[in-house]
Amino acid sequence: MAKQLKKGASSDMQRVTPTFTTTDHGYDTPHLDRMPPFVLVYNPRRWTVLAGRLIPSLHVKPLEAGVNGVAIARDGTIRFATARARIEEQGRTLIPYEWGPGGESYMQTVRTRPRGGPNEMDTYLSVWETTGPADPDTYTDDDAYSEWAESLVKDGKVRPCPPALARRMQDRAARKLAREEALAEKGGAGSGMAKLRAKTLAQTVKVLGAAATTKRTGRGKAAAPSLEA
Amino acid sequence: MADEILASTIGDLIAGEVMATEFLMLLADRDNSILTHPALFHATGAARSSNVVRVPHLGLGGYDLLSATTPGSEVANTALTDGSTDVTVAPRAKVYSVDDLAQYIADGKLDSMMFAQDAAISVAQTLISLIANVADSFTAYAGTSGVNATWNDVLDAKTTLGVAKASGPMLGILHPQQWGDLELDALSMGVLPAESMGGVINQGLDAFKGRWMGIDFFVSSAVPTANAAADRAGGIFTRGALAWADVAIDPVADPNIVSLGRARFERDRKGTFLETSYVTSSFQGVAQAIDAAGVSLITDNA
């Protein structure tokens, strides 16, 4: 089949280009694997340092039928009551979608063709991720995510990291930093990677140090058992 | 010389292409050996009355120690600690429909056997993907956000499990990126590349990567991301960390319906459309069980 481009000077002459058959590999669509929709869940015992901020390390709870009590109703809606109850029983807090940046959801949907195959479907990403045509990866805006996660604490939506926990985390990070610095100083295979790890860990130790030195809370009652004279 | 007979001039006498007698399978996770690991708890419903299988947790078997008694005083009761995990089983399925002519000219590549083999692999991989999705559910974690996984993190996770009184075989499910970082770290600790080449470190690209530090490591591309995909969240577990359940499919007296034990494979002929559909279905569920029996391993995603 030829496609008409433009009529020439004479009405019986036409400029044409042929239309070729092509195989559509979906190069205009991301090639991400399908990820199910999800909710973020706050756990007061899980914290991390990202982009220079101490932030809650939120659980990513997949809303996938058959995972942690989630089921799909006949009308396609997600039955989440069991999963929600379990989250609350564990002392965790569901992060509502409207707590996302700008009062909108923290989740976005993107059309994808996994591995460039013919099946086009929705995949679910956080709003801090970007991807591109024919790309199997996503790229995270660490700084923006970290800023948002920190705002959950600053705005009082979730409790801050207990200073004692920050101190424990700092101890661990400091041990790791010492190991990586030793590896980096030794030279040879892997020392370059050790330097990179040490750089991030040094920042982690510094950030945790600031959180660990705040006022201590949660002390128990004084105890003095009776001792035989 | 003119009018030689060239390959390019006898287009009416030859085929454009001829099929190789062999073919390549596109890339996918196919190794399902993880499902037999003893750290995975397979819950079996005692009756066919619900799609939810409740797994009781019982605080006996040495859970509470004996308390010192005060002479002349009554011994106080110890409260029994119990709990439970509900595993909700949900249906999953896929269908391939093949036109008669397409099936004929595919010359065996799209016959029932191929679809049956695909069914067995994809049912197992679906379950593995559900299991991997639970890896980020644990309170305890090891690793540092934005930092490549190291063996130090693995030992941290193992120590955490030990402190939590976990015991028994340990199972590690990691993303291939995390495993690659661990291999790199092994080399930086003085393991010679020659040993790596000989298979001492690497186990090739199969899912099972061997037992290291007493942990059986497997990789799966289904291991989820964490921290807005800045990291991956694999996990290291002992028995009780997570439970899975499924439905045993009863055989039926129909040659077009085959029970694969935990799944059903069905040949559905649609004569009026000149096509055959191959339906694979299964009922599966996975849930986090005892929180302290697992540690999420959260490390850099790149």
Side-chain angles (χ1 to χ4, degrees), chain A residues 64-141:
Chain A
E64 181 84 313
V67 176
N68 281 329
V70 174
I72 306 295
R74 192 179 177 86
D75 62 358
T77 54
I78 296 165
R79 298 176 69 180
F80 190 60
T82 306
R84 183 193 297 269
R86 178 77 175 153
I87 288 167
E88 288 169 3
E89 279 171 12
Q90 291 181 311
R92 302 176 184 180
T93 307
L94 189 72
I95 304 292
Y97 291 115
E98 57 270 24
W99 285 5
E104 294 184 20
S105 177
Y106 49 71
M107 184 171 69
Q108 61 178 328
T109 180
V110 173
R111 294 296 285 174
T112 181
R113 293 176 60 164
R115 285 167 282 173
N119 296 306
E120 189 168 320
M121 60 188 73
D122 285 329
T123 189
Y124 295 85
L125 311 172
S126 74
V127 295
W128 300 278
E129 292 169 73
T130 54
T131 185
D135 199 331
D137 291 320
T138 66
Y139 306 90
T140 306
D141 185 343

Side-chain angles (χ1 to χ4, degrees), chain A residues 18-40:
Chain A
T19 303
F20 299 102
T21 58
T22 57
T23 303
D24 180 8
H25 288 294
Y27 287 117
D28 55 348
T29 309
H31 289 183
L32 304 169
D33 281 337
R34 180 191 170 271
M35 296 294 288
F38 59 88
V39 286
L40 296 176

Side-chain angles (χ1 to χ4, degrees), chain B residues 10-301:
Chain B
I10 56 169
D12 290 332
L13 305 180
I14 59 174
E17 297 91 10
V18 60
M19 282 292 167
T21 50
E22 309 82 12
F23 56 90
L24 294 167
M25 297 295 273
L26 287 170
L27 307 185
D29 288 329
R30 295 197 173 93
D31 183 344
N32 62 7
S33 51
I34 190 173
L35 293 177
T36 59
H37 196 278
L40 292 177
F41 183 89
H42 183 194
T44 312
R48 299 183 172 197
S49 51
S50 175
N51 66 331
V52 179
V53 182
R54 175 159 291 181
V55 181
H57 305 172
L58 184 57
L60 283 179
Y63 184 84
D64 294 304
L65 300 184
L66 281 63
S67 300
T69 60
T70 307
S73 300
E74 189 179 12
V75 179
N77 273 328
T78 297
L80 177 71
T81 307
D82 66 351
S84 65
T85 296
D86 288 348
V87 186
T88 303
V89 174
R92 313 187 80 82
K94 75 170 177 179
V95 182
Y96 288 114
S97 295
V98 193
D99 168 77
D100 286 354
L101 183 59
Q103 195 161 36
Y104 176 78
I105 62 177
D107 196 21
K109 288 188 266 310
L110 297 178
D111 64 15
S112 299
M113 289 297 289
M114 292 298 287
F115 286 111
Q117 184 188 41
D118 171 79
I121 297 172
S122 54
V123 166
Q125 289 302 322
T126 301
L127 179 56
I128 292 170
S129 78
L130 299 184
I131 290 169
N133 262 303
V134 180
D136 185 34
S137 300
F138 298 95
T139 296
Y141 64 95
T144 307
S145 187
V147 178
N148 292 350
T150 66
W151 287 101
N152 205 35
D153 301 325
V154 171
L155 288 174
D156 265 355
K158 186 179 170 184
T159 305
T160 301
L161 287 171
V163 169
K165 307 181 198 301
S167 61
M170 287 177 285
L171 166 66
I173 305 177
L174 303 180
H175 189 268
Q177 177 66 51
Q178 294 181 301
W179 182 255
D181 291 341
L182 287 179
E183 286 187 320
L184 203 60
D185 188 47
L187 295 180
S188 74
M189 288 192 297
V191 178
L192 297 174
E195 291 176 293
S196 169
M197 305 295 180
V200 175
I201 295 298
N202 287 304
Q203 298 289 327
L205 290 172
D206 288 338
F208 179 54
K209 299 298 184 187
R211 174 173 286 197
W212 303 99
M213 316 283 182
I215 304 163
D216 296 316
F217 281 100
F218 292 79
V219 295
S220 169
S221 62
V223 165
T225 58
N227 296 322
D231 301 309
R232 285 278 172 187
I236 295 175
F237 322 104
T238 56
R239 189 169 175 81
L242 49 85
W244 65 277
D246 57 4
V247 170
I249 305 286
D250 293 330
V252 291
D254 183 335
N256 288 308
I257 302 175
V258 179
S259 167
L260 301 177
R262 299 290 169 181
R264 174 171 281 158
F265 178 64
E266 188 168 349
R267 179 180 176 276
D268 182 21
R269 177 69 191 156
K270 296 190 188 78
T272 52
F273 287 91
L274 307 182
E275 82 177 22
T276 306
S277 293
Y278 295 93
V279 187
T280 304
S281 59
S282 181
F283 302 86
Q284 307 172 336
V286 179
Q288 183 204 17
I290 300 170
D291 190 24
V295 177
S296 300
L297 188 66
I298 301 176
T299 60
D300 195 21
N301 184 19

Side-chain angles (χ1 to χ4, degrees), chain A residues 60 149 160 166:
Chain A
V60 180

Side-chain angles (χ1 to χ4, degrees), chain A residues 190-208:
Chain A
S191 62
M193 290 301 296
K195 272 183 198 166
L196 283 175
R197 290 193 294 261
K199 188 178 170 191
T200 308
L201 284 165
Q203 187 187 41
T204 300
V205 170
K206 189 176 165 191
V207 171
L208 288 169

